[in-house]
């Protein structure tokens, strides 16, 4: 069975524009529809940045929502403190919010695309894949249909969760590199054994970090890159 995969570039924002452009150039052999751009709306988007994003969308790159500012408030709960220490640092902004504020953030995220003449896809990926304290049944009333977590993809319309293995490369320390190598190998083998789609997540700085040399080879292992969620 051919290994299928979904590829996403995270943290698309004005300050990562140069690195995102470089990654897209290095993935030029892929059809644009196979590379989803995870956009952070609550940044200082100037006219030139918005023109760049519109151009990418017009070329066929799907756009997905990715939080609002990609920064969390000071962690209050034990869960958030542990998550911040071992996984997300200060990125998991949902974890510092209650349910109503999470819902408002997701709505604001979608509205930003529309107000700026951009077409958002049906996918929302909370920063660090941390959805936070929101009842999944309430997601069905929100404008995005699909929600990614560490474990896979939740379809809010059909109220169905689909497990999907994940690869990541955001390793800026020796411990993170070792952990992610183990994590990636396990998820790759799980995808081969189960026939499930493998998600490949690329952050703007990944090519410069400790696992940078692995990113493109992992993408090339995908025998069947899939187009974004429809």
């Amino acid at each position: 069975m051919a290994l299928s995969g979904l590829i996403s570039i995270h943290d698309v924002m004005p300050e990562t524009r140069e690195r995102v452009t470089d990654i897209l150039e290095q993935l030029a052999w892929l059809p644009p529809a196979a590379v989803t751009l995870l956009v952070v709306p609550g940044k200082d988007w100037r006219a030139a940045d918005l023109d760049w994003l519109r151009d990418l969308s017009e070329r066929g790159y799907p756009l997905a929502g990715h939080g609002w500012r990609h920064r969390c408030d000071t962690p209050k709960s034990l869960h958030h403190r542990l998550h911040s220490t071992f996984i997300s640092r200060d990125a998991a902004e949902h974890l510092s919010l209650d349910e109503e504020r999470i819902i408002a953030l997701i709505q604001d995220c979608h509205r930003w695309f529309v107000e700026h003449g951009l077409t958002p896809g049906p996918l929302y990926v909370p920063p660090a894949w941390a959805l936070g304290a929101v009842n999944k049944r309430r997601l069905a009333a929100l404008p995005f249909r699909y929600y990614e977590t560490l474990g896979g993809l939740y379809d809010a319309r059909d109220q169905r969760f689909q497990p999907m293995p994940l690869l990541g490369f955001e390793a800026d320390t020796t411990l993170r590199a070792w952990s992610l190598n183990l994590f990636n190998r396990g998820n790759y083998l799980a995808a081969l054994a189960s026939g499930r789609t493998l998600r490949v997540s690329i952050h703007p700085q990944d090519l410069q970090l400790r696992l940078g040399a692995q990113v493109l080879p992992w993408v090339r292992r995908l025998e069947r890159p899939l187009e974004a969620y429809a």
Side-chain angles (χ1 to χ4, degrees):
M1 181 180 295
L3 180 64
S4 61
L6 288 162
I7 302 156
S8 60
I9 298 180
H10 289 227
D11 307 350
V12 176
M13 54 183 91
E15 51 264 50
T16 64
R17 177 175 161 182
E18 185 176 335
R19 288 184 175 180
V20 170
T21 299
D22 178 59
I23 292 170
L24 292 177
E25 289 174 354
Q26 297 198 52
L27 297 176
W29 82 87
L30 294 167
V35 183
T36 300
L37 306 179
L38 275 53
V39 180
V40 182
K43 297 292 183 174
D44 185 19
W45 287 90
R46 302 190 179 187
D49 302 314
L50 290 166
D51 287 343
W52 168 70
L53 196 57
R54 290 190 192 99
D55 177 66
L56 292 175
S57 179
E58 290 168 1
R59 287 162 54 190
Y61 290 99
L63 306 181
H66 193 42
W68 181 254
R69 58 190 176 99
H70 209 277
R71 294 288 182 202
C72 65
D73 296 331
T74 302
K76 297 177 181 178
S77 68
L78 176 61
H79 169 66
H80 191 182
R81 289 198 297 272
L82 292 173
H83 197 283
S84 178
T85 299
F86 295 106
I87 300 176
S88 60
R89 295 183 176 163
D90 63 351
E93 63 182 316
H94 279 220
L95 295 185
S96 59
L97 306 176
D98 61 22
E99 184 174 57
E100 295 306 321
R101 291 171 68 197
I102 292 171
I103 288 172
L105 184 152
I106 295 171
Q107 291 172 325
D108 288 344
C109 178
H110 190 275
R111 187 180 304 115
W112 179 88
F113 286 94
V114 177
E115 290 176 348
H116 290 85
L118 295 160
T119 303
L123 175 67
Y124 180 84
V125 183
W129 295 281
L131 191 56
V134 58
N135 188 322
K136 285 188 173 63
R137 292 185 179 276
R138 296 196 64 182
L139 299 177
L142 300 181
F144 294 103
R145 175 178 176 180
Y146 300 107
Y147 296 81
E148 268 200 36
T149 64
L150 274 176
L153 185 72
Y154 179 70
D155 183 335
R157 188 180 72 184
D158 293 344
Q159 297 184 13
R160 182 173 58 89
F161 180 77
Q162 181 180 357
M164 283 187 183
L166 173 69
L167 302 184
F169 309 95
E170 201 174 16
D172 57 353
T173 66
T174 300
L175 178 59
R176 280 184 173 239
W178 179 85
S179 300
L180 278 172
N181 265 323
L182 189 64
F183 178 83
N184 289 347
R185 176 60 58 178
N187 279 304
Y188 172 67
L189 294 175
L192 288 179
S194 65
R196 289 175 177 153
T197 297
L198 183 66
R199 291 173 293 158
V200 179
S201 64
I202 305 172
H203 288 78
Q205 70 274 23
D206 282 354
L207 297 182
Q208 287 74 44
L209 296 180
R210 294 170 185 263
L211 300 184
Q214 297 184 16
V215 177
L216 297 180
W218 270 115
V219 174
R220 290 188 183 278
R221 289 192 187 196
L222 301 178
E223 299 163 273
R224 193 161 61 94
L226 302 177
E227 295 188 3
Y229 313 106

